[in-house]
Amino acid sequence: METKETQKSNKKGNVYRNFLELVIVGCITGIFAGAVVTAFTILAHEGEEISRDVYAYVRDHHAFIPLLFLALFGGAFLLGVAVNISSVIRGCGIPQAEGATRGIVPLKWWRDMTAMFAASLLSIFMGLSIGAEGPSVLIGASMGDGVAASLKRKQMIRKYQAASGACTGLAVAGGAPLTGVAFAFEEAYKRLTPEVFICSAFSVIVGMLTRTVIYNLLDMEIVNAFHSYVFTDLPLSSYGYVVLAGIACGVLGVLFYKLCFGMRKLFKLIRLKNDKITHGLRVMIAVLCGGVVSLIAVGAMGGGHDLIEDLGSNGGTTPVKMAVSVVITVLLLKFFITSVNVGSGIPCGIFIPIIAIGACLGGLLNKVWLEWGMDGVHWDLMVMICMASFFTAVVKAPITSIVMICEFTGSFAHLLPVIIAVSISYIIGEMSRTDGIYEELLEQYEHETGVHERAVREIFTITLVKGALADKRQVRNVLWPQGARVTSIARGEETILPDGETILRGGDVLTIVCKTDDPQKSKEELLSILG
């Protein structure tokens, strides 16, 4: 019979082994996800440069416009083939990656990773308004899932690795490690647990180190994301502009959200007898619209890094390169084509395009603020504040937005005005009853793929082993499988009807109701959590 000291020692040993396993798999995921995403972002950058040169040449030589659209037609055909091979890559990638981390969306990692890698690069080479960050999240999640499959990890560890790969993809593509970690618990899991933090943090750290090594080997310089921005402290007398910026970004963010899903409804009206041809036709329309937009305005091309860079003023010392009329044109076109991309299901990334729209809005608002007496040295900070506020209104991820801006500015000194504007835009989004765009896209993806229809109600009765992941945790702080709910706990002679604050103890017999389309997988996850 075990003594109390032996039981305590075994429990500590289980905890140490669990955390050590998470550290190891997180590091391995970071290496592979970091390497693949770094290669993808380098190629994506080159693709944007090439496409800009091609479109500039065609603008100067109109005779080549038919040839350009012939090439776009061929590229659209290839994209249609890709989305029919891998349905996971339809859209911006982040909702599917979030679904994989929660066990909703099954990944065939090699197929999905290569399909997203190739399709997104092709879209970027065609000059479409697409960023690298969204695809990088799905590529990273696929690599995490692939590492877990290769190491034959349990289902729960596999979900952690998919999440850590996803946030590593975002961190490496954006050069923002803190944003990547914040994304893991705010967007991917909607909560922070020690396991989520450990696996994600180590994966991001190793992924960023891998990125640095690759850049050094290629003799490439890692530069600040937006080096045309210089930030100065904002006086209290200018906080009124911050409030107005939060309101404006919140309202336009809600309008953008509604436009995106309005476009989805519009594209769903395009329905033929053959689903593959239907998806191909939707992609074709989006590609041709993207080609027209890119011909009209160079600023609307690509993800938006160059656009954001052009809106910087070096702290008011350099005139902004873009005229007001150009900013308005680019804003409207970016607004339109990004919603078309979301509606059509074309493989794309909307992370940076959303931020770029916020930057355009910030530039236009700054013109008004300057007329009202704002000092021009605050131009750059106000643009960044609008980027964070618009992103928050659309994505509903305020913590990620705040952390992202702090990383972009390289300082926490401007935290207060950023928090004020982000909070206002978030409240406007909540009052408008909109969900985060990625959450809504995931929900629609589940309905389109029949996950909800296949789900059945299963009841599991499992004994919690001492030292397991859930031991001595509150119910709400355990990362349960999607659709799982603890309905009762038998503790000796006592039966407990739990709430979120109920603390679980080794020896408890839990009755768990799951609505799942894969009962065996859900049972495996529960056993991983409960021992």
Side-chain angles (χ1 to χ4, degrees), residues 11 24 44 133 204 322 326 338 358 362 388 410 426 451 457:
K11 178 183 174 182
I24 292 172
E133 285 73 12
V204 167
M322 302 177 67
V326 175
T338 305
Y426 183 81
V451 172
R457 187 173 182 269

PDB file of all heavy atoms in Angstrom, residues 11 24 44 133 204 322 326 338 358 362 388 410 426 451 457:
ATOM      1  N   LYS A  11       2.706  11.961  -7.725  1.00  0.00           N
ATOM      2  CA  LYS A  11       1.959  13.069  -8.304  1.00  0.00           C
ATOM      3  C   LYS A  11       2.908  14.120  -8.888  1.00  0.00           C
ATOM      4  O   LYS A  11       2.729  14.589 -10.007  1.00  0.00           O
ATOM      5  CB  LYS A  11       1.065  13.706  -7.243  1.00  0.00           C
ATOM      6  CG  LYS A  11       0.292  14.902  -7.765  1.00  0.00           C
ATOM      7  CD  LYS A  11      -0.511  15.553  -6.667  1.00  0.00           C
ATOM      8  CE  LYS A  11      -1.167  16.828  -7.183  1.00  0.00           C
ATOM      9  NZ  LYS A  11      -1.915  17.520  -6.142  1.00  0.00           N
ATOM     10  N   ILE A  24       9.356  19.891 -24.495  1.00  0.00           N
ATOM     11  CA  ILE A  24      10.077  19.221 -25.578  1.00  0.00           C
ATOM     12  C   ILE A  24       9.299  19.316 -26.890  1.00  0.00           C
ATOM     13  O   ILE A  24       9.851  19.711 -27.932  1.00  0.00           O
ATOM     14  CB  ILE A  24      10.352  17.750 -25.212  1.00  0.00           C
ATOM     15  CG1 ILE A  24      11.355  17.677 -24.064  1.00  0.00           C
ATOM     16  CG2 ILE A  24      10.903  16.986 -26.425  1.00  0.00           C
ATOM     17  CD1 ILE A  24      11.557  16.288 -23.500  1.00  0.00           C
ATOM     18  N   ALA A  44       7.030  34.942 -49.936  1.00  0.00           N
ATOM     19  CA  ALA A  44       5.883  35.841 -50.072  1.00  0.00           C
ATOM     20  C   ALA A  44       6.339  37.273 -50.303  1.00  0.00           C
ATOM     21  O   ALA A  44       5.745  38.005 -51.120  1.00  0.00           O
ATOM     22  CB  ALA A  44       5.005  35.761 -48.820  1.00  0.00           C
ATOM     23  N   GLU A 133       0.339  36.495 -43.041  1.00  0.00           N
ATOM     24  CA  GLU A 133       0.173  36.101 -41.641  1.00  0.00           C
ATOM     25  C   GLU A 133      -0.896  35.021 -41.452  1.00  0.00           C
ATOM     26  O   GLU A 133      -0.690  34.045 -40.735  1.00  0.00           O
ATOM     27  CB  GLU A 133      -0.156  37.330 -40.782  1.00  0.00           C
ATOM     28  CG  GLU A 133       1.025  38.232 -40.504  1.00  0.00           C
ATOM     29  CD  GLU A 133       1.474  39.034 -41.705  1.00  0.00           C
ATOM     30  OE1 GLU A 133       0.742  39.075 -42.734  1.00  0.00           O
ATOM     31  OE2 GLU A 133       2.557  39.633 -41.655  1.00  0.00           O
ATOM     32  N   VAL A 204       7.183  29.385 -29.669  1.00  0.00           N
ATOM     33  CA  VAL A 204       7.433  30.708 -30.244  1.00  0.00           C
ATOM     34  C   VAL A 204       8.899  31.102 -30.086  1.00  0.00           C
ATOM     35  O   VAL A 204       9.529  31.607 -31.026  1.00  0.00           O
ATOM     36  CB  VAL A 204       6.517  31.760 -29.589  1.00  0.00           C
ATOM     37  CG1 VAL A 204       6.986  33.168 -29.935  1.00  0.00           C
ATOM     38  CG2 VAL A 204       5.075  31.570 -30.042  1.00  0.00           C
ATOM     39  N   MET A 322       1.496  59.517 -49.365  1.00  0.00           N
ATOM     40  CA  MET A 322       0.219  59.330 -50.054  1.00  0.00           C
ATOM     41  C   MET A 322      -0.685  60.545 -49.887  1.00  0.00           C
ATOM     42  O   MET A 322      -0.876  61.038 -48.775  1.00  0.00           O
ATOM     43  CB  MET A 322      -0.480  58.076 -49.535  1.00  0.00           C
ATOM     44  CG  MET A 322       0.342  56.805 -49.698  1.00  0.00           C
ATOM     45  SD  MET A 322      -0.478  55.351 -49.008  1.00  0.00           S
ATOM     46  CE  MET A 322      -1.869  55.188 -50.121  1.00  0.00           C
ATOM     47  N   VAL A 326      -5.646  59.584 -52.698  1.00  0.00           N
ATOM     48  CA  VAL A 326      -5.106  58.238 -52.885  1.00  0.00           C
ATOM     49  C   VAL A 326      -5.449  57.354 -51.685  1.00  0.00           C
ATOM     50  O   VAL A 326      -5.839  56.186 -51.840  1.00  0.00           O
ATOM     51  CB  VAL A 326      -3.576  58.291 -53.098  1.00  0.00           C
ATOM     52  CG1 VAL A 326      -2.998  56.872 -53.170  1.00  0.00           C
ATOM     53  CG2 VAL A 326      -3.238  59.054 -54.363  1.00  0.00           C
ATOM     54  N   THR A 338     -11.005  42.983 -49.698  1.00  0.00           N
ATOM     55  CA  THR A 338     -10.813  42.078 -48.555  1.00  0.00           C
ATOM     56  C   THR A 338     -12.116  41.364 -48.227  1.00  0.00           C
ATOM     57  O   THR A 338     -12.124  40.170 -47.912  1.00  0.00           O
ATOM     58  CB  THR A 338     -10.304  42.853 -47.323  1.00  0.00           C
ATOM     59  OG1 THR A 338      -9.108  43.561 -47.665  1.00  0.00           O
ATOM     60  CG2 THR A 338      -9.996  41.901 -46.183  1.00  0.00           C
ATOM     61  N   GLY A 358      -7.135  49.787 -41.079  1.00  0.00           N
ATOM     62  CA  GLY A 358      -7.084  50.641 -39.891  1.00  0.00           C
ATOM     63  C   GLY A 358      -6.059  51.754 -40.038  1.00  0.00           C
ATOM     64  O   GLY A 358      -6.301  52.895 -39.609  1.00  0.00           O
ATOM     65  N   GLY A 362      -6.647  55.713 -40.002  1.00  0.00           N
ATOM     66  CA  GLY A 362      -5.867  56.588 -39.122  1.00  0.00           C
ATOM     67  C   GLY A 362      -5.274  57.769 -39.875  1.00  0.00           C
ATOM     68  O   GLY A 362      -5.266  58.897 -39.368  1.00  0.00           O
ATOM     69  N   ALA A 388      -4.904  49.255 -34.158  1.00  0.00           N
ATOM     70  CA  ALA A 388      -5.309  48.375 -33.063  1.00  0.00           C
ATOM     71  C   ALA A 388      -6.814  48.411 -32.840  1.00  0.00           C
ATOM     72  O   ALA A 388      -7.450  47.373 -32.602  1.00  0.00           O
ATOM     73  CB  ALA A 388      -4.577  48.770 -31.777  1.00  0.00           C
ATOM     74  N   GLY A 410       7.546  49.248 -29.998  1.00  0.00           N
ATOM     75  CA  GLY A 410       8.751  48.974 -29.215  1.00  0.00           C
ATOM     76  C   GLY A 410       8.738  49.628 -27.861  1.00  0.00           C
ATOM     77  O   GLY A 410       9.787  49.828 -27.245  1.00  0.00           O
ATOM     78  N   TYR A 426     -13.983  48.033 -28.893  1.00  0.00           N
ATOM     79  CA  TYR A 426     -14.486  46.722 -28.464  1.00  0.00           C
ATOM     80  C   TYR A 426     -15.923  46.835 -27.958  1.00  0.00           C
ATOM     81  O   TYR A 426     -16.780  46.000 -28.277  1.00  0.00           O
ATOM     82  CB  TYR A 426     -13.583  46.155 -27.372  1.00  0.00           C
ATOM     83  CG  TYR A 426     -13.978  44.770 -26.905  1.00  0.00           C
ATOM     84  CD1 TYR A 426     -13.604  43.648 -27.640  1.00  0.00           C
ATOM     85  CD2 TYR A 426     -14.726  44.591 -25.754  1.00  0.00           C
ATOM     86  CE1 TYR A 426     -13.959  42.375 -27.222  1.00  0.00           C
ATOM     87  CE2 TYR A 426     -15.093  43.320 -25.327  1.00  0.00           C
ATOM     88  CZ  TYR A 426     -14.701  42.218 -26.067  1.00  0.00           C
ATOM     89  OH  TYR A 426     -15.070  40.957 -25.652  1.00  0.00           O
ATOM     90  N   VAL A 451     -20.040  19.306 -39.466  1.00  0.00           N
ATOM     91  CA  VAL A 451     -19.583  18.874 -38.140  1.00  0.00           C
ATOM     92  C   VAL A 451     -20.750  18.840 -37.153  1.00  0.00           C
ATOM     93  O   VAL A 451     -20.918  17.895 -36.382  1.00  0.00           O
ATOM     94  CB  VAL A 451     -18.457  19.796 -37.618  1.00  0.00           C
ATOM     95  CG1 VAL A 451     -18.112  19.468 -36.168  1.00  0.00           C
ATOM     96  CG2 VAL A 451     -17.225  19.668 -38.493  1.00  0.00           C
ATOM     97  N   ARG A 457     -24.615  12.821 -28.976  1.00  0.00           N
ATOM     98  CA  ARG A 457     -24.477  13.044 -27.531  1.00  0.00           C
ATOM     99  C   ARG A 457     -23.937  11.777 -26.890  1.00  0.00           C
ATOM    100  O   ARG A 457     -24.521  10.697 -26.998  1.00  0.00           O
ATOM    101  CB  ARG A 457     -25.829  13.421 -26.933  1.00  0.00           C
ATOM    102  CG  ARG A 457     -25.778  13.844 -25.472  1.00  0.00           C
ATOM    103  CD  ARG A 457     -27.147  14.354 -25.061  1.00  0.00           C
ATOM    104  NE  ARG A 457     -27.172  14.817 -23.690  1.00  0.00           N
ATOM    105  CZ  ARG A 457     -27.480  14.044 -22.643  1.00  0.00           C
ATOM    106  NH1 ARG A 457     -27.798  12.771 -22.839  1.00  0.00           N
ATOM    107  NH2 ARG A 457     -27.487  14.551 -21.421  1.00  0.00           N
TER     108      ARG A 457
END
